[in-house]
């Protein structure tokens, strides 16, 4: 049996790649010869190894990403020792663009599947089980034992030929389902691997509607579209949103990554008619520094983004998630603070503060010397410093990121945060002050429980605005009671009213 192995970041996640590969292979002669084994990075390595060993695979292919590659290396190395006759293959974005380095570290690997994998994997299965092509005849492989090592370039598949992999939803119970209705991206952001796939391929709307109905009939909790820019084709986006509106089951949530600055009023009007909770939108702003945006080949218009976000928020039915990236070219700490304040002013439901990752195969990797980028040696290759920000700056931004998660994104303190915002000209400064308070009191090392954060927050306010302590005591009680009820809420309120800030 040929095993496809996915090691996911969390239990609720799935690995869509292995399911797409298996489905396409079964359609093309591989039925009965392919199985899937999924784990998480939180599983003990020894448990993954023992489980794979008991399955006695003839071949294994590991799906490799920045979040799992270190574990993949460890698991693959030990499996090779235990099952030396098992051919081990790798595939995925983490190994497709640095094949020579990968096999120098893992010399036992039989080969690497490069880039899009459906046809390549199907032919690989047929090579083993159906007297198919020889390995050197299969395009899209890196074969370290061969000269030349690279076989021919794999052509991109007609996306409509890829079968739907989610016909048995019982396998995905209590998990997020990842679905793609297009591949490729029309944009060329220098930090993103999607810019490499230069041809945008959109699945026919007839197929998409049929497949969406499977999720709707199954009352799946959440479906995340992995299309890199879902609304780059307006007609396609409108057709999908209209179908979801007309066939809403009242339960399923659909997540889309979009470019807000290409959205028009017709799309906004449609989205504003949807059931609250049916759709959530993730919008990558990344920076509001024009020089930075030009350097990363990202031609966004923040004024247009602002207008679109404000129009979407009017109906109150769309959960909006805005992203920033720290460590980009030409963005020093002062500039990032401005970007943060610009995006925060839109008051998204979630504000994600991410950090530049120098991924293999991206054009930003070719510019590390130009921009003085120093990144971690191992995955996820996250920025440590650049010619624009120091490592001290990065440490600060990491602390701020954590404060944003705890006090803004958690939605645990909406009333208290709203009142505090009135006292700050810069919202970055608010979270910077919180980060300093946490550091001064060793809370980053002695991590507080959720209920304890209310007292910590009151201590912070008392230290900075002692004259407002009692006002904020009331807002913190209100925030707690919004989340809790019954005896637990009553007990908290009694204790919190008697609590004396430090």
């Amino acid at each position: 049996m040929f095993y496809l192995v996915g090691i996911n970041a969390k239990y609720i996640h799935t690995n869509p790649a292995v399911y797409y590969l298996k489905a396409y292979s079964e359609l093309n002669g591989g039925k009965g010869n392919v199985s899937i084994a999924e784990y998480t990075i939180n599983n003990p390595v020894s448990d993954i190894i023992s489980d794979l060993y008991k399955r006695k695979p003839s071949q294994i292919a590991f799906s490799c990403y920045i979040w799992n590659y270190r574990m993949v290396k460890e698991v693959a190395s030990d499996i090779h020792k235990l099952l030396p006759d098992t051919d081990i293959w790798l595939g995925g974005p983490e190994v497709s663009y640095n094949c020579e380095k990968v096999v120098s570290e893992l010399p036992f690997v039989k080969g690497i599947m490069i880039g899009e994998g459906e046809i390549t994997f199907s032919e690989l299965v047929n090579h083993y089980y159906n007297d198919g092509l020889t390995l050197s005849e299969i395009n899209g492989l890196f074969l370290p034992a061969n000269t030349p090592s690279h076989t021919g370039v794999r052509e991109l598949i007609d996306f409509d030929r890829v079968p739907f992999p989610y016909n048995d939803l019982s396998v995905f119970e209590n998990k997020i389902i990842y679905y793609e209705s297009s591949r490729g991206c029309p944009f060329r952001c220098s930090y993103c691997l999607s810019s490499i796939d230069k041809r945008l391929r959109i699945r026919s709307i007839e197929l998409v509607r049929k497949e969406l109905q499977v999720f709707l009939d199954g009352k799946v909790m959440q479906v995340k579209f992995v299309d890199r820019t879902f609304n780059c084709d307006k007609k396609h986006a409108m057709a999908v949103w209209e179908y979801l509106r007309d066939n809403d089951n009242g339960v399923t949530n659909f997540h889309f990554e979009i470019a807000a600055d290409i959205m028009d009023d017709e799309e906004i009007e449609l989205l504003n008619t949807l059931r609250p909770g049916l759709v959530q939108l993730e919008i990558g702003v990344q920076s509001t520094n024009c020089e930075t945006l030009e350097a990363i080949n990202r031609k966004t218009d923040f004024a247009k983004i602002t207008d679109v976000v404000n129009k979407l928020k009017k109906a109150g039915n769309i959960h909006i998630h805005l992203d920033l990236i720290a460590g980009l070219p030409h963005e020093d700490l002062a500039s990032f603070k401005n970007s943060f304040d610009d995006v925060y002013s839109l008051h998204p439901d979630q504000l994600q503060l991410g950090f530049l990752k120098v991924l293999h195969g991206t054009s930003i990797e070719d510019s590390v010397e130009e921009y003085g980028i120093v990144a971690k040696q191992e995955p996820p290759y996250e920025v440590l410093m650049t010619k624009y920000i120091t490592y001290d700056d990065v440490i600060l931004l990491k602390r701020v990121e954590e404060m944003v998660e705890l006090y803004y994104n958690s939605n645990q303190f909406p009333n208290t945060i709203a009142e505090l915002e009135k006292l700050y000209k810069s919202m970055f400064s608010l979270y910077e002050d919180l980060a300093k308070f946490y550091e001064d009191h060793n809370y980053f090392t002695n991590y507080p429980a959720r209920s304890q954060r209310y007292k910590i927050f009151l201590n912070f306010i008392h230290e900075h605005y002692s004259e407002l302590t009692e006002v904020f005591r009331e807002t913190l009680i209100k925030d707690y009671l919004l989340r809790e009820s019954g005896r637990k809420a009553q007990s908290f309120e009694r204790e919190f009213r008697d609590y004396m800030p430090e």
Side-chain angles (χ1 to χ4, degrees), residues 14-20 23 38 163-172 176-180 211 214-215 220 223-224 226:
T14 54
N15 184 319
V18 297
Y19 289 97
Y20 277 105
E38 280 193 284
F164 183 64
Y166 296 120
N167 290 305
D168 181 8
L169 290 177
S170 65
V171 178
F172 308 98
I176 296 169
I177 288 183
Y178 296 89
Y179 175 76
E180 53 184 344
E211 291 161 359
V214 174
F215 301 139
V220 172
V223 177
K224 281 197 171 185
V226 293

Side-chain angles (χ1 to χ4, degrees), residues 7-14 39-42 67 175-176:
I7 302 178
N8 304 319
K10 296 180 181 179
Y11 173 76
I12 61 169
H13 296 174
T14 54
Y39 311 96
T40 81
I41 58 175
N42 299 310
W67 62 82
K175 293 191 175 184
I176 296 169

Side-chain angles (χ1 to χ4, degrees), residues 154-194:
R154 168 60 63 197
E155 70 278 12
L156 296 178
I157 195 170
D158 176 349
F159 198 17
D160 280 359
R161 290 178 54 204
V162 178
F164 183 64
Y166 296 120
N167 290 305
D168 181 8
L169 290 177
S170 65
V171 178
F172 308 98
E173 190 174 358
N174 300 319
K175 293 191 175 184
I176 296 169
I177 288 183
Y178 296 89
Y179 175 76
E180 53 184 344
S181 69
S182 66
R183 286 185 181 175
C185 184
F187 304 111
R188 297 290 173 263
C189 303
S190 64
Y191 54 82
C192 183
L193 283 172
S194 295

Side-chain angles (χ1 to χ4, degrees), residues 24 41 75 105-107 120 131 133 138 156 175 205 238 247 267 308-309 322 325 331 357 373 376 391 455 464 486 494:
Y24 188 83
I41 58 175
V75 171
E105 295 175 345
L106 306 173
T120 303
D131 297 322
L133 300 172
I138 299 174
L156 296 178
K175 293 191 175 184
I205 192 61
M238 291 281 286
N247 297 275
E267 292 168 275
V308 168
V309 169
L322 300 183
I325 297 178
E331 183 126 81
K357 296 171 179 61
I373 298 172
K376 291 182 179 178
Y391 186 51
K455 293 180 180 178
H464 286 75
R494 285 194 301 269

Side-chain angles (χ1 to χ4, degrees), residues 200-405:
L200 179 65
R201 290 160 291 155
I202 299 177
R203 200 162 175 83
S204 67
I205 192 61
E206 293 78 19
L207 277 176
V208 172
R209 287 174 179 147
K210 180 180 177 182
E211 291 161 359
L212 291 178
Q213 195 59 50
V214 174
F215 301 139
L216 293 165
D217 290 344
K219 295 193 173 179
V220 172
M221 291 306 297
Q222 186 175 53
V223 177
K224 281 197 171 185
F225 276 64
V226 293
D227 305 43
R228 299 314 303 161
T229 306
F230 174 74
N231 64 323
C232 60
D233 184 293
K234 176 186 171 181
K235 182 180 178 181
H236 175 77
M238 291 281 286
V240 169
W241 289 331
E242 285 169 352
Y243 190 82
L244 295 180
R245 177 198 62 196
D246 297 341
N247 297 275
D248 180 17
N249 62 12
V251 174
T252 306
N253 167 262
F254 293 86
H255 177 101
F256 302 90
E257 292 185 32
I258 67 161
D261 55 336
I262 63 172
M263 183 172 281
D264 63 21
D265 286 342
E266 186 180 13
E267 292 168 275
I268 294 168
E269 288 170 11
L270 170 58
L271 288 168
N272 283 342
T273 67
L274 303 182
R275 165 182 63 84
L278 175 59
V279 163
Q280 63 187 49
L281 301 177
E282 182 172 353
I283 300 167
V285 180
Q286 320 312 13
S287 173
T288 62
N289 181 320
C290 294
E291 191 176 7
T292 296
L293 294 172
E294 184 175 355
I296 61 174
N297 301 323
R298 191 172 178 85
K299 304 297 190 290
T300 55
D301 181 344
F302 186 66
K304 179 66 188 297
I305 291 173
T306 299
D307 181 58
V308 168
V309 169
N310 287 333
K311 287 177 178 177
L312 287 170
K313 288 176 63 179
K314 279 186 179 179
N317 64 324
I318 302 289
H319 183 280
I320 297 176
H321 181 153
L322 300 183
D323 298 340
L324 284 169
I325 297 178
L328 294 172
H330 302 291
E331 183 126 81
D332 58 15
L333 184 60
S335 171
F336 187 82
K337 289 179 179 181
N338 290 333
S339 292
F340 182 97
D341 287 345
D342 287 341
V343 173
Y344 193 98
S345 70
L346 301 181
H347 286 93
D349 297 287
Q350 294 275 304
L351 196 169
Q352 180 172 311
L353 200 171
F355 292 80
L356 175 66
K357 296 171 179 61
V358 184
L359 303 179
H360 296 303
T362 59
S363 61
I364 199 74
E365 185 183 32
D366 299 327
S367 304
V368 292
E369 290 188 13
E370 179 183 355
Y371 300 124
I373 298 172
V374 177
K376 291 182 179 178
Q377 185 69 28
E378 294 294 322
Y381 312 112
E382 199 168 82
V383 66
L384 293 170
M385 64 182 192
T386 72
K387 65 164 49 173
Y388 310 98
I389 60 169
T390 67
Y391 186 51
D392 286 320
D393 296 334
V394 170
I395 293 172
L396 169 61
L397 293 174
K398 284 283 184 183
R399 300 301 202 199
V400 168
E401 176 196 23
E402 195 163 349
M403 294 300 95
V404 171
E405 286 298 314

Side-chain angles (χ1 to χ4, degrees), residues 416-458:
T416 306
I417 287 291
E419 289 302 313
L420 262 181
E421 288 173 357
K422 298 173 184 177
L423 304 176
Y424 281 84
K425 290 183 179 179
S426 164
M427 295 304 104
F428 184 92
S429 297
L430 164 57
Y431 295 95
E432 186 177 19
D433 284 351
L434 269 168
K436 185 177 186 306
F437 184 80
Y438 260 62
E439 191 158 17
D440 289 345
H441 292 81
N442 297 316
Y443 291 134
F444 285 117
T445 51
N446 300 307
Y447 207 69
R450 183 170 72 86
S451 59
Q452 188 67 15
R453 291 178 206 144
Y454 290 85
K455 293 180 180 178
I456 291 173
F457 211 174
L458 189 62

